Amino acid sequence: MKSFTYERARTPADAVASAAQTQGAKFIAGGTNLLDLMKLEIEAPTHLIDVNGLAFDKIEATPDGGLRIGALVRNTDLAADVRVRRDYPLLSRALVAGASGQLRNKATTAGNLLQRTRCPYFYDTNIHATNASPAAAAPPSAASPAIMPFWV
Amino acid sequence: MERPTDSKGPRSTNSDVTRRELLAVTALTGGAFILGEQLLPGAISPAAAQGSEAGPAPLDLALRVNGTEHRLALDPRTTLLDALREHLHFTGTKKGCDHGQCGACTVIVNGRRINSCLTLAVMHEADSITTIEGLGTSENPHPMQAAFVKHDGYQCGYCTPGQICSAVAVLDEIKAGIPSHVSADLMAQPELTDVELRERMSGNICRCAAYSNIIDAITEVAGRKA
């Protein structure tokens, strides 16, 4: 894993300001996707801004009868919320169909939407640089024949 | 704790090498034991696991593990798993895949099971962390530990600490009414069926395939609680 500096954001404004000021900074919440990619050095942020302490972990009813889901609501909590189970069962079903209990306890709603692709070529460190910079893409000669159909 | 003896009498001092000492030797001797390293990635040194690049200044932090606070100075890259094993020497928690897929590193944080390999130690300053060492001891085991022994819920034992931490949390999740992929009715209290337990334990892989005995152990503990 490439080295990085770490800070715990105290307010949303601090988090946004820090991200704007620091080149190569990334937010971290559950970390189940980002840390996996950092271990493979597919992601290499220079600075991590931990947003777990920000109070975006609520599920609130909206005046028009909907639900507002906080960015930091964990997958487990969203799937188990009685309003989601009763009124949005597909969302509950979709959540519990993915990952494992351990991962769902950590993974957040916003992080889920921000997950990077799980395609094999993205995880292949011989060719993944092309994802970061399409202009610098090397010919996909290093790709195994099994994943060639994904390239185009 | 007394070591078992075989028919030839007490084991010689040569065989009294612990598994951990053996791992240290295989890690040092490198290529000659390459297969051992591949099978047990926990043997790789923390420096190698983190990359050789020099990092920023260590961060001071306190981790509350099994009810005791520990002060540490860690590279920000240190995962909770590496902090527990390499810095605090809670070696019960195991490193399997190191990518959140096998469940060997499962610990309970604030009452919830997580993969300690996919989270940074610095992100857990205010948390209460329970490892297998915090659940029970050889003399006074947690009911789940006793049930795993009784039902032979393991073979090699490498995944067992993660299985047990996960199993303890699974029963709490069922009690809390958290649904699973196999819950027929999302609004009903989840049932303690084999199918439910298998699905909920699917984040813990056992290469010895002790699965049916693991389910027997969990079922017994669940029955006792009910």
Side-chain angles (χ1 to χ4, degrees):
Chain A
M1 197 188 295
K2 298 285 184 191
S3 79
F4 55 85
T5 49
Y6 170 89
E7 81 171 284
R8 208 171 286 136
R10 287 165 302 158
T11 65
D14 281 355
V16 171
S18 179
Q21 284 162 15
T22 319
Q23 202 174 5
K26 274 196 179 289
F27 298 120
I28 186 164
T32 54
N33 188 218
L34 182 58
L35 285 169
D36 187 23
L37 293 169
M38 285 167 65
K39 286 182 179 191
L40 298 167
E41 298 191 357
I42 294 168
E43 293 279 6
T46 58
H47 183 63
L48 282 187
I49 305 161
D50 183 347
V51 296
N52 282 290
L54 307 182
F56 295 128
D57 55 354
K58 310 278 189 303
I59 305 171
E60 297 159 315
T62 58
D64 56 354
L67 286 180
R68 181 183 292 111
I69 301 161
L72 288 170
V73 173
R74 308 288 155 175
N75 282 186
T76 298
D77 294 315
L78 186 56
D81 187 277
V82 70
R83 294 161 294 184
V84 176
R85 279 189 279 153
R86 185 186 60 225
D87 303 329
Y88 305 92
L90 185 66
L91 180 54
S92 219
R93 292 273 179 217
L95 285 162
V96 296
S100 65
Q102 290 97 315
L103 290 169
R104 291 194 295 270
N105 280 342
K106 267 258 139 227
T108 63
T109 305
N112 228 4
L113 301 175
L114 291 167
Q115 277 188 96
R116 301 304 308 268
T117 173
R118 295 205 173 275
C119 297
Y121 66 78
F122 187 74
Y123 275 78
D124 186 334
T125 45
N126 288 319
I127 54 174
H128 80 263
T130 55
N131 293 285
S133 172
S141 56
S144 76
I147 64 168
M148 284 302 280
F150 290 103
W151 193 266
V152 286
Chain B
M1 204 168 118
E2 228 175 75
R3 288 178 174 278
T5 56
D6 58 27
S7 57
K8 292 170 196 152
R11 291 187 179 183
S12 73
T13 46
N14 274 352
S15 65
D16 280 351
V17 179
T18 67
R19 183 162 58 181
R20 194 160 170 74
E21 285 160 359
L22 181 68
L23 287 179
V25 170
T26 53
L28 286 171
T29 49
F33 291 89
I34 191 74
L35 185 64
E37 278 196 31
Q38 284 172 345
L39 286 172
L40 295 169
I44 296 166
S45 73
Q50 289 173 357
S52 53
E53 185 189 350
L59 293 175
D60 289 318
L61 71 146
L63 287 181
R64 190 163 188 80
V65 184
N66 301 329
T68 306
E69 192 168 287
H70 301 268
R71 297 214 65 85
L72 291 165
L74 296 176
D75 184 305
R77 287 174 288 185
T78 312
T79 60
L80 178 58
L81 172 62
D82 286 339
L84 290 170
R85 285 185 56 84
E86 309 296 341
H87 296 270
L88 297 173
H89 309 296
F90 287 107
T91 52
T93 307
K94 297 294 187 278
K95 184 179 281 190
C97 69
D98 210 23
H99 285 275
Q101 297 169 8
C102 77
C105 68
T106 303
V107 297
I108 301 171
V109 175
N110 298 336
R112 293 192 155 193
R113 55 181 172 145
I114 64 167
N115 299 119
S116 62
C117 74
L118 275 192
T119 192
L120 298 171
V122 289
M123 295 166 74
H124 293 281
E125 273 235 78
D127 293 342
S128 173
I129 300 153
T130 303
T131 67
I132 189 72
E133 291 92 344
L135 284 180
T137 60
S138 306
E139 294 73 33
N140 187 24
H142 184 280
M144 193 64 78
Q145 290 171 312
F148 266 67
V149 173
K150 180 182 166 187
H151 291 277
D152 211 13
Y154 46 80
Q155 186 172 307
C156 81
Y158 196 80
C159 71
T160 312
Q163 297 276 2
I164 292 177
C165 285
S166 203
V168 167
V170 158
L171 294 187
D172 288 339
E173 288 168 15
I174 291 175
K175 211 171 173 180
I178 295 168
S180 86
H181 182 49
V182 297
S183 305
D185 180 356
L186 284 177
M187 297 306 290
Q189 173 64 26
E191 292 173 352
L192 274 163
T193 59
D194 283 8
V195 167
E196 274 284 0
L197 293 177
R198 283 195 192 113
E199 162 61 22
R200 288 168 192 270
M201 290 297 292
S202 63
N204 292 81
I205 294 171
C206 171
R207 291 191 73 176
C208 307
Y211 297 113
S212 64
N213 294 358
I214 289 170
I215 298 300
D216 289 348
I218 301 173
T219 303
E220 177 172 307
V221 178
R224 244 189 245 150
K225 274 187 173 173

